[in-house]
């Protein structure tokens, strides 16, 4: 009689990747903190049948970021988030209006609210962090439950211990180079594209290497966040497309450089939420105000990714093409010397002057 070979179950990194996929499809995940447990589903992916299931489990609570709570004039007792008890008659329409600011100006009054204070908000905080990492609106229905482990087994739910997950959610996932290949480009016939893949199952990131930069000298480098609307569609609402092409052209003219193309669309909130922000801008809000109304911070990007790629490629010093001092601070904090800030002022249009002014006034960009 032969025994079945043992197969190791998924670790926390794999379970977090599963949890993100589950949440995007509206499948609940089980969050645990010691003996405490709660089922969580983002409002954006929640269906009416699932909401009724959650009500049968216990008293649903809505977790919102402090940014969204400030917009809705909700009292905040937990610092970075607010917890609300769902009214007995609250359905998907009410929840959607709480999560998505699209109709805030048309329907500004959504209370009265039953804010929750005291207790342990750690499970709610973790639920919001997971929703953000899945590029969903940071508004989550959370139902505290007893015997969470048994319930998770019975319903085949992904279980996330939040203390274990916090370490992975806070760190920059290690990146491994998958492949590189020569790519002649308009900017330079001597181009090479490197593909980097994070171990947490997230989006891949790209390094476009121009020429053969000397690893012992500061390299002309740019951290460019993906912008589908600007880079691909030629949007006039931002300066991203012109910055991308100008940076590559300058590297081509100098004969060497590295442009990191980081898949952090919309300052790290994802394309769908970026389009929501654009819709709010059409209502008169600037880019920072729009992010806040959606429940996000000014900038949700993680520039540690770029530093990690450059170090993996063998660089220790850069001449950084940027107007954003935060990038310089991050690079130096990750052990990369920034020997020079190279200004990149291109792409101003009548349509994006307000956007650029906001970047300068509220985000500290040197324009």
């Amino acid at each position: 009689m032969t025994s079945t070979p043992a197969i190791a179950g998924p670790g926390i990194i794999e379970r977090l990747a599963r949890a993100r996929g589950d949440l995007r499809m509206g499948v609940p995940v089980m969050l645990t903190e010691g003996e405490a447990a709660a089922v969580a589903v983002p409002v954006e992916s929640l269906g009416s049948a699932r909401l009724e299931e959650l009500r049968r489990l216990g008293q649903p609570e809505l977790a919102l970021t402090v940014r969204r709570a400030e917009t809705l004039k909700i009292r905040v007792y937990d610092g970075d988030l607010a917890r609300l008890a769902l009214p007995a008659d609250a359905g998907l329409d009410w929840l959607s209006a709480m999560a998505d600011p699209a109709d805030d100006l048309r329907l500004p009054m959504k209370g009265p609210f039953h804010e929750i204070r005291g207790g342990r908000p750690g499970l709610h905080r973790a639920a919001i962090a997971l929703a953000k990492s899945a590029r969903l609106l940071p508004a989550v229905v959370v139902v505290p439950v007893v015997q969470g482990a048994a319930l998770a087994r019975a319903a085949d739910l992904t279980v996330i211990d939040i203390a274990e997950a916090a370490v992975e959610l806070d760190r920059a996932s290690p990146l491994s180079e998958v492949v590189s290949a020569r790519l002649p480009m308009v900017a330079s016939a001597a181009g090479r594209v490197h593909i980097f893949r994070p171990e947490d199952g997230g989006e891949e990131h790209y390094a476009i290497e121009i020429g053969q930069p000397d690893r012992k000298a500061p390299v002309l480098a740019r951290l460019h966040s993906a912008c589908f609307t600007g880079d691909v569609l030629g949007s006039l609402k931002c300066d991203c497309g012109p910055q991308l092409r100008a940076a590559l052209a300058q590297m081509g003219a100098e004969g060497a450089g590295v442009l990191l193309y980081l898949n952090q669309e919309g300052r790290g909130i994802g394309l769908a939420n970026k389009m929501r922000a654009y819709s709010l801008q059409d209502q008169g809000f600037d880019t920072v105000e729009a992010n806040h109304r959606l429940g996000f911070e000014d900038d949700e990007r993680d520039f540690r990714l770029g530093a990690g790629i450059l170090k993996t490629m063998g660089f220790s010093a850069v001449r950084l093409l940027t107007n954003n001092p935060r990038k310089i601070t991050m690079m130096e904090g990750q052990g990369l010397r920034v020997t020079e800030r190279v200004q990149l002022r291109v792409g101003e249009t009548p349509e994006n002057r307000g956007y650029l002014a906001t970047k300068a006034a509220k985000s500290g960009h040197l324009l």
Side-chain angles (χ1 to χ4, degrees):
M1 184 174 179
T2 59
S3 60
T4 303
I7 299 177
I12 186 59
I13 294 173
E14 291 88 357
R15 281 185 277 120
L16 282 169
R18 284 186 182 182
R20 293 185 187 100
D22 289 346
L23 295 179
R24 290 179 67 86
M25 294 187 294
V27 177
V29 299
M30 182 68 70
L31 304 176
T32 65
E33 183 182 27
E35 295 299 315
V39 173
V41 189
V43 171
E44 183 175 346
S45 57
L46 182 61
S48 56
R50 190 76 73 186
L51 177 58
E52 291 309 309
E53 292 176 357
L54 295 178
R55 287 190 184 280
R56 288 194 289 271
L57 283 179
Q59 172 59 52
E61 301 170 359
L62 177 62
L64 299 170
T65 67
V66 65
R67 292 300 189 184
R68 184 66 182 141
E70 289 169 346
T71 295
L72 296 172
K73 305 297 188 290
I74 294 171
R75 289 189 294 270
V76 176
Y77 297 110
D78 299 318
D80 58 343
L81 78 154
R83 294 172 289 153
L84 302 175
L86 259 65
D89 59 349
L92 288 182
D93 289 345
W94 184 84
L95 284 166
S96 295
M98 294 293 290
D100 190 337
D103 284 336
D104 278 358
L105 295 186
R106 186 172 65 85
L107 299 170
M109 302 301 294
K110 296 179 174 64
F113 303 115
H114 179 196
E115 295 95 342
I116 299 170
R117 61 192 305 179
R120 299 167 66 177
L123 296 173
H124 303 70
R125 184 171 289 113
I128 288 175
L130 273 174
K132 280 187 176 184
S133 70
R135 300 292 187 260
L136 298 169
L137 285 170
V140 187
V141 175
V142 178
V143 183
V145 296
V146 295
Q147 296 182 328
L151 177 59
R153 285 194 300 270
D156 197 21
L157 302 182
T158 301
V159 179
I160 301 295
D161 178 282
I162 67 169
E164 189 180 15
V167 176
E168 296 302 327
L169 289 172
D170 288 342
R171 75 168 181 148
S173 180
L175 293 140
S176 300
E177 185 170 355
V178 179
V179 68
S180 71
R182 186 179 67 86
L183 180 69
M185 296 175 286
V186 171
S188 173
R192 177 169 287 271
V193 175
H194 303 255
I195 309 300
F196 287 85
R197 183 175 294 161
E199 70 172 24
D200 65 2
E203 296 96 339
E204 294 172 346
H205 305 282
Y206 320 127
I208 296 92
E209 186 175 11
I210 301 298
Q212 295 182 320
D214 183 354
R215 266 57 176 173
K216 296 180 181 179
V219 62
L220 181 63
R222 172 159 176 79
L223 276 61
H224 186 89
S225 296
C227 179
F228 173 75
T229 50
D231 299 341
V232 178
L233 302 181
S235 167
L236 301 177
K237 285 178 65 70
C238 66
D239 55 346
C240 301
Q243 284 189 327
L244 172 64
R245 289 180 283 277
L248 287 172
Q250 184 165 342
M251 293 173 187
E254 293 192 15
V258 177
L259 185 139
L260 304 182
Y261 197 87
L262 306 176
N263 276 308
Q264 301 190 109
E265 182 82 45
R267 295 188 178 184
I269 65 176
L271 184 57
N273 288 319
K274 175 180 168 180
M275 290 297 98
R276 290 184 171 113
Y278 276 8
S279 180
L280 292 174
Q281 290 171 34
D282 287 340
Q283 296 180 28
F285 300 103
D286 67 34
T287 183
V288 171
E289 292 166 343
N291 269 28
H292 289 179
R293 295 188 79 87
L294 288 164
F296 295 104
E297 295 300 319
D298 303 20
D299 195 333
E300 298 271 354
R301 289 175 291 183
D302 185 355
F303 292 122
R304 293 175 299 176
L305 296 168
I309 291 174
L310 285 168
K311 288 194 285 188
T312 298
M313 294 178 70
F315 296 103
S316 59
V318 297
R319 298 166 51 226
L320 196 61
L321 269 162
T322 187
N323 302 320
N324 185 355
R326 181 171 169 240
K327 291 183 181 179
I328 298 173
T329 302
M330 180 284 307
M331 297 287 267
E332 292 178 335
Q334 294 298 306
L336 282 168
R337 286 190 303 116
V338 180
T339 63
E340 179 186 1
R341 182 186 77 85
V342 183
Q343 194 173 52
L344 188 61
R345 291 192 62 181
V346 294
E348 182 176 331
T349 68
E351 292 84 357
N352 69 24
R353 283 185 188 131
Y355 164 78
L356 295 177
T358 298
K359 286 211 295 186
K362 294 187 175 182
S363 301
H365 286 223
L366 303 174
L367 299 174

